[in-house]
Amino acid sequence: MHSRRTVLTTAAAAAATAALGAGPAHSVPSPTPQPSRATLDRLRRLIARMSPEEKAGQLFVMRVYGESATDPDPADVAANRKEIGVDNAAELIARYHVGGIIYFGWAHNTRDPHQIAELSNGIQDAAADLRVPVPVLISTDQEHGIVARIGEPATLLPGAMALGAGGSTEDARTAGRISGQELRAMGLRQDYAPDADVNVNPANPVIGVRSFGADPEAVARMVAAQVGGYQDAGVAACAKHFPGHGDTDTDSHVGLPYIHHSAEEWERLDAPPFKAAIAAGIDSVMTAHIVVPALDPSGDPATLSRPIVTGILRERLGYDGVVVTDSLGMEGVRVKYGDDRVPVLALRAGVDQLLNPPDLSVAHGAVVRALRDGELSEREIDAKLLRILLLKERRGLFDDPYTSRQQVDRVVGTRAHRVAADRIADRTTTLLRNDGGLLPLSRRRTGRLLVAGVDPAAPTGTGGPPTEVLARELTRLGFEATALSTGTAPSRQAIARARAALGRRDAAVVATYDVTASSAQRTLVAELLATGKPVVQLAIRNPYDIALLDGVEAALASYSWTDVELRAAARVIAGRRDPKGRLPVPIMRADAPQTALYQIGHGLRY
């Protein structure tokens, strides 16, 4: 059976296609050029020199702690020893011959652009010292919006749902190109973006605003545009999470989600963005740790499913690029099989790269054993290695894997990139409600503002907190704005302080974050409204909050709490920019979940 929300949002999506703009479903760049015979022969000779241990290592993409490849801080050395059995990235490469490394902020890889570039160069130095030297494919999750690993002074751009609200494939392509150029300048040649999931479930705890929206064809257009942007900049894009993670209420980091779409619903709802990415020549596709019984009744997650990875992705959709797993440390892929079987089963399913296993020694040893005893054929592994090496060749790693401080200074966080980011953000803020023309706020009538609400940490560890960013920008625009953080679960004391503070102000702007039926954020908004002062509500994550906030006269959505999107929202609130964003997802009524409060394409203007 399928979910009621799927039926509702499918109908809404079909009705909204025209509202979001006509045009070709998939605007794509030229197809990926085919490698020459000389290139293929050279890479095959390289593979032939590898031992089983070296071949197995090239299939892994691994985390490593530290801001330096050879001299990380003592705490990072200790973390590496505990989790991987090595001191640093150079030892990781020497021992396991890993073909890829993924950067994380929490692993202390991404302190600043110059440090990132030096780390990247140190990793490539270590790879060059191997018996069979192969450059490392360095990657990260720089989706922008709520998932970004590299912060300021690199340019931060609107995330997927914000771009979906803007509706411009040119903006999506430009954002991908800027991000790709900056990543490449820091030594990264792969980004695990764009998210190709179609977010038809408002309760989705893991995708949400990481998706471009709920209309499959609109999402497909944006995905194709971003693929073109990233790869035009020389960085491999990665469409995720195949076969589609959009209709779930379980987070695959902590459980195993089931997607109950029929095969026909999957074809209509989930497949279009992945087809568009393939048509655009995407370099890599990431699998999801989800069960889709209509596509594979075995109960195996898609990552371990040969019917899904080989049968659908490779054979039916014709994709022959690199397939990478989502993190093998996530619970969704570990609930059915042990950590020694998961990597082998993923390779047998048709995957090429194994991302971030919880225990590399266990995973690597299991692959070597499977290769030696014939469970994995050498011919099959060699074909996977060839795909990976061709991707590295295509992204220039065999020509020159290095970067420099000069490249960082020329490219990363330039004024032109920041101006472009602001201009794109200005087209994304969505005005959902404006009863009585409350917005834009008047500096004469409502010059003294209280900015209250949630202050989640910046996704990148840079920028924020949101209430202060909003207050600072509104003050710059001529208001007298004061920030008061009340949190995602405001206490009675915090609510009382906010109400008292509004008594000395002319109006309030309140930032909300994923409001639920039992959320104290509802009480905060109600108490502010009870003062009789004007209250403007800004949803800084998922746009659905307004359905649970009775009495709000003016409501907006920014789709993220990164500074670039908050400043754009402030400009709309102040009347310096017209609200141009339109909802890329429907918002259903809280009291009648089968009825849309606002349809896809809704968005007011001044």
Short mmCIF file of all heavy atoms in Angstrom, two decimals, residues 250-315:
data_model
loop_
_atom_site.label_atom_id
_atom_site.label_comp_id
_atom_site.label_asym_id
_atom_site.label_seq_id
_atom_site.Cartn_x
_atom_site.Cartn_y
_atom_site.Cartn_z
N THR A 250 11.53 7.71 8.70
CA THR A 250 12.62 7.12 9.47
C THR A 250 13.95 7.64 8.94
O THR A 250 14.15 7.72 7.73
CB THR A 250 12.60 5.58 9.36
OG1 THR A 250 11.35 5.10 9.87
CG2 THR A 250 13.75 4.96 10.16
N ASP A 251 14.84 7.98 9.84
CA ASP A 251 16.18 8.45 9.47
C ASP A 251 17.09 7.24 9.32
O ASP A 251 17.29 6.48 10.28
CB ASP A 251 16.70 9.39 10.56
CG ASP A 251 18.04 10.02 10.23
OD1 ASP A 251 18.72 9.54 9.30
OD2 ASP A 251 18.42 10.97 10.93
N SER A 252 17.67 7.05 8.14
CA SER A 252 18.51 5.88 7.90
C SER A 252 19.82 5.92 8.68
O SER A 252 20.54 4.92 8.72
CB SER A 252 18.81 5.73 6.40
OG SER A 252 19.33 6.93 5.86
N HIS A 253 20.14 7.05 9.31
CA HIS A 253 21.30 7.07 10.21
C HIS A 253 21.04 6.20 11.45
O HIS A 253 21.98 5.65 12.02
CB HIS A 253 21.61 8.50 10.66
CG HIS A 253 22.14 9.38 9.58
ND1 HIS A 253 21.32 10.03 8.68
CD2 HIS A 253 23.40 9.71 9.23
CE1 HIS A 253 22.06 10.73 7.84
NE2 HIS A 253 23.33 10.55 8.16
N VAL A 254 19.78 6.10 11.86
CA VAL A 254 19.47 5.42 13.11
C VAL A 254 18.54 4.23 12.94
O VAL A 254 18.28 3.49 13.91
CB VAL A 254 18.86 6.41 14.13
CG1 VAL A 254 19.86 7.49 14.48
CG2 VAL A 254 17.57 7.03 13.60
N GLY A 255 18.00 3.99 11.77
CA GLY A 255 17.09 2.88 11.53
C GLY A 255 17.05 2.54 10.05
O GLY A 255 17.75 3.14 9.23
N LEU A 256 16.24 1.56 9.70
CA LEU A 256 16.11 1.11 8.32
C LEU A 256 14.75 1.53 7.78
O LEU A 256 13.72 0.93 8.11
CB LEU A 256 16.27 -0.41 8.24
CG LEU A 256 16.15 -1.04 6.84
CD1 LEU A 256 17.16 -0.43 5.89
CD2 LEU A 256 16.34 -2.55 6.92
N PRO A 257 14.71 2.57 6.96
CA PRO A 257 13.43 3.05 6.43
C PRO A 257 12.86 2.11 5.36
O PRO A 257 13.61 1.47 4.61
CB PRO A 257 13.78 4.40 5.81
CG PRO A 257 15.15 4.73 6.30
CD PRO A 257 15.82 3.43 6.55
N TYR A 258 11.54 2.07 5.27
CA TYR A 258 10.84 1.37 4.21
C TYR A 258 10.11 2.40 3.35
O TYR A 258 9.44 3.30 3.87
CB TYR A 258 9.82 0.38 4.78
CG TYR A 258 10.43 -0.94 5.19
CD1 TYR A 258 11.28 -1.01 6.30
CD2 TYR A 258 10.19 -2.10 4.48
CE1 TYR A 258 11.85 -2.21 6.69
CE2 TYR A 258 10.76 -3.32 4.86
CZ TYR A 258 11.59 -3.36 5.97
OH TYR A 258 12.16 -4.56 6.33
N ILE A 259 10.26 2.29 2.04
CA ILE A 259 9.54 3.13 1.10
C ILE A 259 8.46 2.26 0.46
O ILE A 259 8.77 1.28 -0.23
CB ILE A 259 10.48 3.70 0.02
CG1 ILE A 259 11.67 4.42 0.65
CG2 ILE A 259 9.71 4.62 -0.94
CD1 ILE A 259 11.34 5.69 1.38
N HIS A 260 7.20 2.63 0.65
CA HIS A 260 6.10 1.78 0.21
C HIS A 260 5.49 2.26 -1.11
O HIS A 260 4.29 2.09 -1.32
CB HIS A 260 5.05 1.69 1.31
CG HIS A 260 5.54 0.98 2.54
ND1 HIS A 260 5.80 -0.36 2.57
CD2 HIS A 260 5.87 1.46 3.77
CE1 HIS A 260 6.24 -0.71 3.77
NE2 HIS A 260 6.30 0.38 4.51
N HIS A 261 6.29 2.83 -1.97
CA HIS A 261 5.80 3.18 -3.30
C HIS A 261 5.68 1.91 -4.14
O HIS A 261 6.54 1.01 -4.06
CB HIS A 261 6.77 4.14 -4.00
CG HIS A 261 6.80 5.50 -3.39
ND1 HIS A 261 7.64 6.50 -3.82
CD2 HIS A 261 6.08 6.05 -2.38
CE1 HIS A 261 7.45 7.58 -3.12
NE2 HIS A 261 6.50 7.34 -2.23
N SER A 262 4.65 1.86 -4.96
CA SER A 262 4.58 0.80 -5.95
C SER A 262 5.62 1.06 -7.03
O SER A 262 6.21 2.15 -7.09
CB SER A 262 3.18 0.76 -6.59
OG SER A 262 2.98 1.93 -7.38
N ALA A 263 5.86 0.08 -7.88
CA ALA A 263 6.82 0.28 -8.97
C ALA A 263 6.40 1.45 -9.84
O ALA A 263 7.24 2.24 -10.30
CB ALA A 263 6.94 -1.01 -9.79
N GLU A 264 5.09 1.58 -10.07
CA GLU A 264 4.60 2.69 -10.91
C GLU A 264 4.80 4.03 -10.21
O GLU A 264 5.18 5.02 -10.84
CB GLU A 264 3.11 2.48 -11.24
CG GLU A 264 2.82 1.28 -12.13
CD GLU A 264 2.89 -0.05 -11.37
OE1 GLU A 264 2.88 -0.04 -10.10
OE2 GLU A 264 2.99 -1.09 -12.04
N GLU A 265 4.55 4.07 -8.89
CA GLU A 265 4.77 5.31 -8.15
C GLU A 265 6.25 5.67 -8.13
O GLU A 265 6.61 6.86 -8.24
CB GLU A 265 4.24 5.16 -6.72
CG GLU A 265 2.73 5.19 -6.63
CD GLU A 265 2.24 4.87 -5.24
OE1 GLU A 265 2.83 4.00 -4.57
OE2 GLU A 265 1.26 5.50 -4.81
N TRP A 266 7.11 4.66 -7.97
CA TRP A 266 8.55 4.94 -8.00
C TRP A 266 8.93 5.55 -9.35
O TRP A 266 9.67 6.54 -9.40
CB TRP A 266 9.36 3.66 -7.77
CG TRP A 266 10.83 3.93 -7.89
CD1 TRP A 266 11.65 4.44 -6.94
CD2 TRP A 266 11.64 3.76 -9.06
NE1 TRP A 266 12.92 4.60 -7.43
CE2 TRP A 266 12.94 4.19 -8.73
CE3 TRP A 266 11.38 3.27 -10.34
CZ2 TRP A 266 13.99 4.15 -9.66
CZ3 TRP A 266 12.43 3.25 -11.26
CH2 TRP A 266 13.71 3.68 -10.92
N GLU A 267 8.42 4.98 -10.42
CA GLU A 267 8.75 5.48 -11.76
C GLU A 267 8.30 6.93 -11.92
O GLU A 267 9.00 7.75 -12.54
CB GLU A 267 8.07 4.60 -12.81
CG GLU A 267 8.57 4.81 -14.23
CD GLU A 267 9.94 4.18 -14.47
OE1 GLU A 267 10.17 3.05 -14.01
OE2 GLU A 267 10.78 4.85 -15.10
N ARG A 268 7.16 7.28 -11.34
CA ARG A 268 6.61 8.62 -11.52
C ARG A 268 7.19 9.62 -10.53
O ARG A 268 7.46 10.77 -10.88
CB ARG A 268 5.09 8.55 -11.35
CG ARG A 268 4.36 9.87 -11.62
CD ARG A 268 2.86 9.71 -11.58
NE ARG A 268 2.35 9.48 -10.22
CZ ARG A 268 1.90 8.33 -9.77
NH1 ARG A 268 1.89 7.26 -10.55
NH2 ARG A 268 1.47 8.22 -8.52
N LEU A 269 7.41 9.18 -9.28
CA LEU A 269 7.81 10.10 -8.23
C LEU A 269 9.31 10.20 -8.01
O LEU A 269 9.85 11.30 -7.86
CB LEU A 269 7.17 9.69 -6.90
CG LEU A 269 5.68 9.96 -6.72
CD1 LEU A 269 5.18 9.27 -5.46
CD2 LEU A 269 5.43 11.46 -6.63
N ASP A 270 9.99 9.06 -7.96
CA ASP A 270 11.38 9.02 -7.53
C ASP A 270 12.39 8.98 -8.66
O ASP A 270 13.52 9.47 -8.52
CB ASP A 270 11.61 7.79 -6.63
CG ASP A 270 10.70 7.78 -5.42
OD1 ASP A 270 10.86 8.68 -4.57
OD2 ASP A 270 9.84 6.88 -5.31
N ALA A 271 12.02 8.36 -9.77
CA ALA A 271 12.99 8.12 -10.83
C ALA A 271 13.40 9.36 -11.63
O ALA A 271 14.55 9.46 -12.05
CB ALA A 271 12.47 7.04 -11.79
N PRO A 272 12.49 10.33 -11.91
CA PRO A 272 12.85 11.41 -12.83
C PRO A 272 14.13 12.16 -12.50
O PRO A 272 14.94 12.41 -13.41
CB PRO A 272 11.61 12.33 -12.79
CG PRO A 272 10.48 11.38 -12.53
CD PRO A 272 11.05 10.38 -11.55
N PRO A 273 14.41 12.54 -11.24
CA PRO A 273 15.67 13.26 -11.00
C PRO A 273 16.91 12.43 -11.29
O PRO A 273 17.92 12.96 -11.77
CB PRO A 273 15.58 13.65 -9.53
CG PRO A 273 14.12 13.64 -9.22
CD PRO A 273 13.56 12.51 -10.03
N PHE A 274 16.86 11.13 -11.01
CA PHE A 274 18.02 10.29 -11.29
C PHE A 274 18.20 10.09 -12.79
O PHE A 274 19.33 10.09 -13.29
CB PHE A 274 17.88 8.95 -10.56
CG PHE A 274 17.96 9.08 -9.07
CD1 PHE A 274 16.80 9.07 -8.30
CD2 PHE A 274 19.18 9.25 -8.44
CE1 PHE A 274 16.87 9.22 -6.92
CE2 PHE A 274 19.26 9.41 -7.06
CZ PHE A 274 18.10 9.40 -6.30
N LYS A 275 17.10 9.96 -13.51
CA LYS A 275 17.20 9.89 -14.97
C LYS A 275 17.80 11.17 -15.53
O LYS A 275 18.64 11.14 -16.45
CB LYS A 275 15.81 9.65 -15.58
CG LYS A 275 15.22 8.28 -15.30
CD LYS A 275 13.84 8.15 -15.95
CE LYS A 275 13.24 6.78 -15.72
NZ LYS A 275 11.89 6.66 -16.31
N ALA A 276 17.39 12.31 -14.96
CA ALA A 276 17.93 13.59 -15.42
C ALA A 276 19.42 13.71 -15.13
O ALA A 276 20.19 14.21 -15.95
CB ALA A 276 17.17 14.74 -14.76
N ALA A 277 19.83 13.24 -13.95
CA ALA A 277 21.25 13.29 -13.60
C ALA A 277 22.07 12.42 -14.54
O ALA A 277 23.16 12.82 -14.98
CB ALA A 277 21.44 12.81 -12.15
N ILE A 278 21.56 11.25 -14.87
CA ILE A 278 22.27 10.35 -15.79
C ILE A 278 22.36 10.99 -17.18
O ILE A 278 23.42 10.96 -17.82
CB ILE A 278 21.58 8.98 -15.84
CG1 ILE A 278 21.73 8.28 -14.48
CG2 ILE A 278 22.16 8.11 -16.94
CD1 ILE A 278 20.84 7.08 -14.30
N ALA A 279 21.26 11.57 -17.63
CA ALA A 279 21.26 12.23 -18.94
C ALA A 279 22.24 13.40 -18.96
O ALA A 279 22.80 13.73 -20.01
CB ALA A 279 19.86 12.72 -19.28
N ALA A 280 22.47 14.02 -17.79
CA ALA A 280 23.39 15.15 -17.70
C ALA A 280 24.84 14.70 -17.59
O ALA A 280 25.74 15.54 -17.51
CB ALA A 280 23.03 16.01 -16.49
N GLY A 281 25.09 13.38 -17.59
CA GLY A 281 26.45 12.89 -17.55
C GLY A 281 27.06 12.87 -16.17
O GLY A 281 28.27 13.04 -16.02
N ILE A 282 26.25 12.61 -15.16
CA ILE A 282 26.76 12.67 -13.78
C ILE A 282 27.85 11.63 -13.55
O ILE A 282 27.79 10.50 -14.06
CB ILE A 282 25.61 12.51 -12.77
CG1 ILE A 282 26.08 12.93 -11.37
CG2 ILE A 282 25.04 11.08 -12.77
CD1 ILE A 282 24.97 13.26 -10.42
N ASP A 283 28.84 12.01 -12.76
CA ASP A 283 29.99 11.14 -12.49
C ASP A 283 29.70 10.04 -11.49
O ASP A 283 30.34 8.99 -11.54
CB ASP A 283 31.16 11.99 -11.95
CG ASP A 283 31.93 12.69 -13.06
OD1 ASP A 283 31.82 12.26 -14.21
OD2 ASP A 283 32.65 13.66 -12.75
N SER A 284 28.80 10.28 -10.53
CA SER A 284 28.59 9.29 -9.49
C SER A 284 27.16 9.35 -8.96
O SER A 284 26.51 10.40 -9.01
CB SER A 284 29.60 9.47 -8.34
OG SER A 284 29.53 10.77 -7.79
N VAL A 285 26.71 8.23 -8.44
CA VAL A 285 25.39 8.11 -7.83
C VAL A 285 25.57 7.42 -6.48
O VAL A 285 26.29 6.42 -6.38
CB VAL A 285 24.42 7.29 -8.72
CG1 VAL A 285 23.11 7.01 -7.99
CG2 VAL A 285 24.15 8.02 -10.03
N MET A 286 24.92 7.94 -5.45
CA MET A 286 25.00 7.36 -4.10
C MET A 286 23.75 6.55 -3.81
O MET A 286 22.63 7.00 -4.08
CB MET A 286 25.16 8.45 -3.05
CG MET A 286 25.24 7.92 -1.62
SD MET A 286 25.42 9.25 -0.38
CE MET A 286 27.14 9.71 -0.64
N THR A 287 23.94 5.36 -3.24
CA THR A 287 22.81 4.52 -2.88
C THR A 287 22.26 4.89 -1.51
O THR A 287 22.95 5.47 -0.67
CB THR A 287 23.22 3.04 -2.86
OG1 THR A 287 24.23 2.85 -1.85
CG2 THR A 287 23.73 2.59 -4.21
N ALA A 288 21.00 4.50 -1.28
CA ALA A 288 20.32 4.76 -0.01
C ALA A 288 20.20 3.48 0.79
O ALA A 288 20.00 2.40 0.23
CB ALA A 288 18.93 5.34 -0.27
N HIS A 289 20.27 3.62 2.10
CA HIS A 289 20.03 2.49 2.99
C HIS A 289 18.54 2.43 3.31
O HIS A 289 18.09 2.71 4.43
CB HIS A 289 20.84 2.65 4.27
CG HIS A 289 22.30 2.86 4.06
ND1 HIS A 289 23.02 2.27 3.04
CD2 HIS A 289 23.21 3.60 4.77
CE1 HIS A 289 24.29 2.64 3.12
NE2 HIS A 289 24.43 3.44 4.15
N ILE A 290 17.75 2.09 2.30
CA ILE A 290 16.29 2.02 2.44
C ILE A 290 15.81 0.74 1.78
O ILE A 290 16.43 0.23 0.85
CB ILE A 290 15.60 3.23 1.76
CG1 ILE A 290 15.99 3.32 0.28
CG2 ILE A 290 15.94 4.53 2.49
CD1 ILE A 290 15.26 4.39 -0.51
N VAL A 291 14.69 0.22 2.28
CA VAL A 291 14.07 -0.95 1.68
C VAL A 291 12.90 -0.49 0.82
O VAL A 291 12.04 0.28 1.29
CB VAL A 291 13.57 -1.93 2.77
CG1 VAL A 291 12.79 -3.08 2.14
CG2 VAL A 291 14.75 -2.46 3.57
N VAL A 292 12.86 -0.94 -0.42
CA VAL A 292 11.76 -0.64 -1.33
C VAL A 292 11.20 -1.97 -1.82
O VAL A 292 11.67 -2.52 -2.83
CB VAL A 292 12.23 0.23 -2.52
CG1 VAL A 292 11.01 0.72 -3.31
CG2 VAL A 292 13.05 1.42 -2.04
N PRO A 293 10.22 -2.53 -1.12
CA PRO A 293 9.74 -3.88 -1.46
C PRO A 293 9.27 -4.02 -2.90
O PRO A 293 9.41 -5.09 -3.48
CB PRO A 293 8.59 -4.09 -0.46
CG PRO A 293 8.93 -3.22 0.70
CD PRO A 293 9.58 -2.01 0.10
N ALA A 294 8.71 -2.96 -3.49
CA ALA A 294 8.23 -3.06 -4.86
C ALA A 294 9.37 -3.24 -5.85
O ALA A 294 9.16 -3.77 -6.95
CB ALA A 294 7.42 -1.82 -5.22
N LEU A 295 10.57 -2.82 -5.48
CA LEU A 295 11.72 -2.95 -6.37
C LEU A 295 12.57 -4.17 -6.02
O LEU A 295 13.27 -4.70 -6.88
CB LEU A 295 12.59 -1.68 -6.30
CG LEU A 295 11.88 -0.36 -6.62
CD1 LEU A 295 12.88 0.79 -6.59
CD2 LEU A 295 11.15 -0.41 -7.95
N ASP A 296 12.54 -4.57 -4.75
CA ASP A 296 13.27 -5.77 -4.31
C ASP A 296 12.57 -6.29 -3.06
O ASP A 296 12.68 -5.69 -1.99
CB ASP A 296 14.73 -5.43 -4.01
CG ASP A 296 15.52 -6.65 -3.52
OD1 ASP A 296 14.93 -7.74 -3.39
OD2 ASP A 296 16.73 -6.50 -3.26
N PRO A 297 11.85 -7.41 -3.16
CA PRO A 297 11.08 -7.92 -2.01
C PRO A 297 11.92 -8.64 -0.97
O PRO A 297 11.38 -9.14 0.01
CB PRO A 297 10.09 -8.89 -2.68
CG PRO A 297 10.79 -9.36 -3.91
CD PRO A 297 11.62 -8.20 -4.38
N SER A 298 13.26 -8.70 -1.14
CA SER A 298 14.10 -9.48 -0.23
C SER A 298 14.20 -8.88 1.17
O SER A 298 14.58 -9.57 2.11
CB SER A 298 15.51 -9.60 -0.81
OG SER A 298 16.18 -8.34 -0.75
N GLY A 299 13.91 -7.58 1.31
CA GLY A 299 14.11 -6.91 2.59
C GLY A 299 15.49 -6.31 2.75
O GLY A 299 15.80 -5.71 3.77
N ASP A 300 16.36 -6.48 1.74
CA ASP A 300 17.69 -5.88 1.79
C ASP A 300 17.60 -4.38 1.48
O ASP A 300 16.82 -3.96 0.61
CB ASP A 300 18.62 -6.52 0.76
CG ASP A 300 19.09 -7.90 1.19
OD1 ASP A 300 18.97 -8.22 2.39
OD2 ASP A 300 19.59 -8.65 0.33
N PRO A 301 18.42 -3.57 2.16
CA PRO A 301 18.47 -2.17 1.79
C PRO A 301 19.02 -2.00 0.37
O PRO A 301 19.77 -2.85 -0.13
CB PRO A 301 19.41 -1.55 2.82
CG PRO A 301 20.21 -2.68 3.35
CD PRO A 301 19.34 -3.89 3.26
N ALA A 302 18.65 -0.90 -0.30
CA ALA A 302 19.03 -0.70 -1.69
C ALA A 302 20.54 -0.80 -1.90
O ALA A 302 21.00 -1.30 -2.92
CB ALA A 302 18.53 0.66 -2.17
N THR A 303 21.32 -0.35 -0.93
CA THR A 303 22.78 -0.41 -1.03
C THR A 303 23.27 -1.83 -1.27
O THR A 303 24.30 -2.04 -1.92
CB THR A 303 23.41 0.16 0.25
OG1 THR A 303 23.08 1.56 0.33
CG2 THR A 303 24.91 0.00 0.27
N LEU A 304 22.54 -2.82 -0.74
CA LEU A 304 22.96 -4.22 -0.83
C LEU A 304 22.11 -5.01 -1.82
O LEU A 304 22.20 -6.24 -1.87
CB LEU A 304 22.88 -4.88 0.55
CG LEU A 304 23.56 -4.13 1.70
CD1 LEU A 304 23.44 -4.94 2.99
CD2 LEU A 304 25.03 -3.84 1.39
N SER A 305 21.31 -4.32 -2.62
CA SER A 305 20.34 -4.97 -3.49
C SER A 305 20.82 -5.02 -4.94
O SER A 305 20.88 -3.99 -5.62
CB SER A 305 19.00 -4.23 -3.42
OG SER A 305 18.13 -4.67 -4.45
N ARG A 306 21.12 -6.20 -5.43
CA ARG A 306 21.49 -6.33 -6.84
C ARG A 306 20.32 -5.99 -7.78
O ARG A 306 20.53 -5.35 -8.82
CB ARG A 306 22.02 -7.73 -7.13
CG ARG A 306 22.64 -7.85 -8.53
CD ARG A 306 23.46 -9.12 -8.72
NE ARG A 306 24.04 -9.14 -10.06
CZ ARG A 306 25.18 -8.56 -10.40
NH1 ARG A 306 25.88 -7.91 -9.48
NH2 ARG A 306 25.64 -8.61 -11.64
N PRO A 307 19.07 -6.37 -7.46
CA PRO A 307 17.98 -5.95 -8.33
C PRO A 307 17.86 -4.44 -8.48
O PRO A 307 17.46 -3.96 -9.55
CB PRO A 307 16.74 -6.55 -7.64
CG PRO A 307 17.25 -7.73 -6.91
CD PRO A 307 18.62 -7.32 -6.42
N ILE A 308 18.21 -3.69 -7.42
CA ILE A 308 18.09 -2.24 -7.50
C ILE A 308 19.34 -1.61 -8.13
O ILE A 308 19.24 -0.82 -9.07
CB ILE A 308 17.82 -1.65 -6.10
CG1 ILE A 308 16.41 -2.04 -5.64
CG2 ILE A 308 17.98 -0.13 -6.11
CD1 ILE A 308 16.07 -1.61 -4.23
N VAL A 309 20.53 -1.95 -7.62
CA VAL A 309 21.75 -1.29 -8.11
C VAL A 309 22.09 -1.73 -9.53
O VAL A 309 22.34 -0.91 -10.42
CB VAL A 309 22.93 -1.55 -7.15
CG1 VAL A 309 24.22 -0.91 -7.71
CG2 VAL A 309 22.64 -1.00 -5.76
N THR A 310 22.11 -3.04 -9.75
CA THR A 310 22.45 -3.53 -11.09
C THR A 310 21.23 -3.59 -12.00
O THR A 310 21.26 -3.09 -13.12
CB THR A 310 23.11 -4.92 -10.98
OG1 THR A 310 24.35 -4.79 -10.27
CG2 THR A 310 23.40 -5.49 -12.37
N GLY A 311 20.14 -4.19 -11.49
CA GLY A 311 18.97 -4.38 -12.33
C GLY A 311 18.33 -3.08 -12.78
O GLY A 311 17.96 -2.94 -13.96
N ILE A 312 18.17 -2.12 -11.86
CA ILE A 312 17.48 -0.87 -12.21
C ILE A 312 18.46 0.22 -12.62
O ILE A 312 18.39 0.77 -13.72
CB ILE A 312 16.59 -0.40 -11.05
CG1 ILE A 312 15.48 -1.42 -10.80
CG2 ILE A 312 15.98 0.97 -11.37
CD1 ILE A 312 14.59 -1.09 -9.61
N LEU A 313 19.41 0.55 -11.72
CA LEU A 313 20.30 1.68 -11.99
C LEU A 313 21.20 1.41 -13.20
O LEU A 313 21.30 2.25 -14.10
CB LEU A 313 21.15 1.98 -10.76
CG LEU A 313 22.14 3.14 -10.87
CD1 LEU A 313 21.44 4.44 -11.25
CD2 LEU A 313 22.91 3.30 -9.55
N ARG A 314 21.83 0.27 -13.23
CA ARG A 314 22.77 0.00 -14.33
C ARG A 314 22.07 -0.46 -15.59
O ARG A 314 22.32 0.08 -16.68
CB ARG A 314 23.79 -1.04 -13.88
CG ARG A 314 24.72 -0.54 -12.76
CD ARG A 314 26.17 -0.85 -13.10
NE ARG A 314 27.06 -0.49 -12.01
CZ ARG A 314 27.69 0.68 -11.90
NH1 ARG A 314 27.49 1.62 -12.79
NH2 ARG A 314 28.53 0.90 -10.89
N GLU A 315 21.20 -1.47 -15.48
CA GLU A 315 20.64 -2.08 -16.68
C GLU A 315 19.44 -1.31 -17.23
O GLU A 315 19.40 -0.97 -18.41
CB GLU A 315 20.27 -3.54 -16.40
CG GLU A 315 21.52 -4.39 -16.09
CD GLU A 315 21.18 -5.81 -15.67
OE1 GLU A 315 19.96 -6.13 -15.51
OE2 GLU A 315 22.12 -6.60 -15.45
#
